[in-house]
Amino acid sequence: MEKLDCRGCLEGEMRAACLENGLKKFRANQVFNWVNARGVHHWDEMKNIGKQDSERLDRVFFIQPLTVLKAQRSADGTRKFLFRLADGESIETVLMDYDHLTSRDRHTLCVSTQVGCPVGCPFCATGMDGFRRNLTAGEITGQVLEISRLLQQEDPKFTVTNIVFMGMGEPFLNYDAVMKAIRILNSENGQNIGMRRMTISTSGVAPKIIQLAQDNPQVGLAVSLHSVRNEVRDTLVPINRRYPLQELLEACRYYSDQTNRRVTFEFALHQQNVSKEEAEKLVVLLKGMLAHVNLIPINPVIGSDVQKAGKERLTMFKRVLEAGKIPVSIREEKGLDIDAACGQLRQRLECEEYASLKQS
Ligand code: SF4
């Protein structure tokens, strides 16, 4: 029998596997808690499980920690981690702190869902690097577990409070693993992160937006829009050729009607799209929808032609949306000093030292 990944198992699946293998049901609850609430890496860290049962558990399950290849910390508190997976591939995870903006501690983790990405957005370091494979549910939850474990060594009270599936990869092209990871992370006996505190960010896979509204209406939705014209979006977000704007926006309306939740539209602004006409069209397209627009000044990326937009033009764009009564904000630029845009740390390491790190 193939061993099961402890980090990618629902508690119910773990119970069933324990019973099938002659272990008591309560052992599954204990193991689930040790792995998913406390982030342990080894059976011998599970203090309430004896040697005999640990050996039996080890024949049924495995725990696969992620290895930190590199960690960076920005002056603004943003932290970026490069993890090595069991097969030698690498992924990035970014932790953003918003303590100074809210009355409570808010630690938002931006997790990856694929190694590389098949969508190929030209402004994105991950997209420029191609697609390697989907992550498993255990590799997705593993990013949260490793960060919690690491940060709890500095502050025992540290917890990840919010998750955005916005790291490397298109989450809806790995739908089943992402949805499973969400259910595991939501488990009361594990990380216990509320469904409403998790957000899937998509480049625009319209049929999966509809599926999300039907399967799990509590999970938040963000859409990388970036242009209101198909001919531009076809280039900027190439999945638009498969799911053009009209189909995408219909799916978003369906999601907000079904869930009564607003959709966040990410709009990366750069020289090619920061115009008054673009902003006016955006107002027309989003009129009447529960929506919020998040304007993102694009970080410069090695090897990309896309140029950063100036501050005055960003402000002009925002004012047009406000005049059209569309809720809008400009995303804080975070981690500029640590390659925090999608895929940049990995890309830089590929260039400089990643090859040698991979071999070590
Ligand atoms: S921006 Fe997102 S969807 Fe586009 S290539 Fe990068 S990871 Fe993929």
Side-chain angles (χ1 to χ4, degrees):
M1 188 188 101
E2 207 177 311
K3 286 192 188 186
L4 299 172
D5 179 358
C6 272
R7 292 172 163 200
C9 268
L10 293 162
E11 202 167 359
E13 290 175 329
M14 218 176 240
R15 273 198 294 270
C18 279
L19 287 174
E20 258 175 49
N21 289 279
L23 284 146
K24 299 271 190 233
K25 206 162 64 169
F26 72 88
R27 284 285 180 233
N29 303 88
Q30 290 173 328
V31 173
F32 189 90
N33 182 266
W34 279 112
V35 171
N36 289 291
R38 306 194 222 183
V40 304
H41 286 176
H42 303 289
W43 301 111
D44 52 17
E45 290 177 79
M46 302 182 191
K47 302 294 175 213
N48 52 2
I49 300 179
K51 197 168 183 298
Q52 202 183 3
D53 269 4
S54 292
E55 284 168 4
R56 292 163 84 183
L57 284 161
D58 188 46
R59 287 196 284 273
V60 183
F61 301 102
F62 68 92
I63 309 168
Q64 184 64 65
L66 308 180
T67 312
V68 179
L69 279 179
K70 186 149 181 164
Q72 291 182 325
R73 185 174 192 161
S74 161
D76 66 22
T78 303
R79 293 180 178 211
K80 186 155 191 169
F81 300 86
L82 183 74
F83 288 115
R84 178 165 53 196
L85 307 174
D87 62 357
E89 293 289 4
S90 61
I91 51 166
E92 296 174 357
T93 310
V94 178
L95 178 70
M96 295 163 287
D97 280 330
Y98 291 96
D99 292 11
H100 60 296
L101 296 179
T102 60
S103 54
R104 64 187 177 84
D105 282 357
R106 184 171 146 200
H107 306 289
T108 301
L109 198 64
C110 177
V111 304
S112 292
T113 55
Q114 297 182 307
V115 181
C117 181
V119 177
C121 305
F123 56 82
C124 165
T126 301
M128 283 158 45
D129 210 22
F131 173 67
R132 308 224 183 153
R133 69 170 174 85
N134 280 332
L135 295 187
T136 63
E139 288 168 334
I140 297 171
T141 61
Q143 295 166 67
V144 183
L145 301 181
E146 298 304 353
I147 302 281
S148 299
R149 183 181 165 111
L150 270 170
L151 278 274
Q152 278 166 6
Q153 286 164 13
E154 292 172 18
D155 171 8
K157 288 197 193 131
F158 174 87
T159 52
V160 172
T161 59
N162 296 66
I163 293 180
V164 283
F165 294 89
M166 198 191 250
M168 297 170 71
E170 164 51 63
F172 280 152
L173 295 181
N174 189 14
Y175 188 88
D176 291 345
V178 170
M179 296 314 285
K180 191 173 191 190
I182 285 173
R183 288 172 64 199
I184 294 169
L185 292 167
N186 176 244
S187 173
E188 274 180 31
N189 194 24
Q191 290 289 305
N192 196 16
I193 300 171
M195 289 285 181
R196 295 176 77 87
R197 294 195 176 175
M198 293 190 258
T199 299
I200 296 182
S201 175
T202 179
S203 57
V205 186
K208 296 295 180 188
I209 292 176
I210 291 171
Q211 196 176 340
L212 177 70
Q214 293 165 347
D215 288 350
N216 202 332
Q218 295 300 307
V219 174
L221 175 69
V223 175
S224 302
L225 199 61
H226 304 325
S227 176
V228 292
R229 286 172 291 154
N230 276 318
E231 65 275 19
V232 177
R233 203 164 183 273
D234 281 352
T235 314
L236 275 181
V237 191
I239 206 159
N240 192 68
R241 293 180 206 141
R242 230 158 110 200
Y243 308 111
L245 273 168
Q246 195 190 353
E247 188 178 342
L248 171 60
L249 291 172
E250 268 170 27
C252 292
R253 271 184 207 283
Y254 177 84
Y255 169 89
S256 73
D257 289 348
Q258 290 293 308
T259 62
N260 211 25
R261 300 202 66 189
R262 71 181 189 181
V263 180
T264 300
F265 288 96
E266 310 283 352
F267 212 99
L269 286 176
H270 49 86
Q271 284 302 41
Q272 287 114 301
N273 69 351
V274 64
S275 71
K276 189 160 177 259
E277 295 70 40
E278 189 90 6
E280 286 169 346
K281 271 193 190 166
L282 187 53
V283 170
V284 173
L285 284 178
L286 301 186
K287 207 83 207 160
M289 193 193 303
L290 274 176
H292 178 97
V293 176
N294 198 11
L295 302 175
I296 309 161
I298 288 189
N299 289 339
V301 173
I302 307 166
S304 161
D305 292 339
V306 175
Q307 293 301 310
K308 197 173 171 175
K311 205 171 175 186
E312 330 68 58
R313 303 204 53 191
L314 276 174
T315 310
M316 173 277 296
F317 202 97
K318 184 168 178 264
R319 288 210 179 116
V320 174
L321 294 185
E322 283 166 346
K325 304 267 186 289
I326 304 289
V328 56
S329 53
I330 296 184
R331 191 198 284 173
E332 239 191 311
E333 294 186 277
K334 283 194 161 279
L336 283 179
D337 50 331
I338 59 159
D339 309 327
C342 181
Q344 283 184 2
L345 174 61
R346 183 168 177 274
Q347 186 192 49
R348 188 148 293 180
L349 279 175
E350 292 271 7
C351 298
E352 294 166 4
E353 60 191 294
Y354 180 52
S356 60
L357 280 169
K358 257 173 119 175
Q359 282 156 15
S360 64

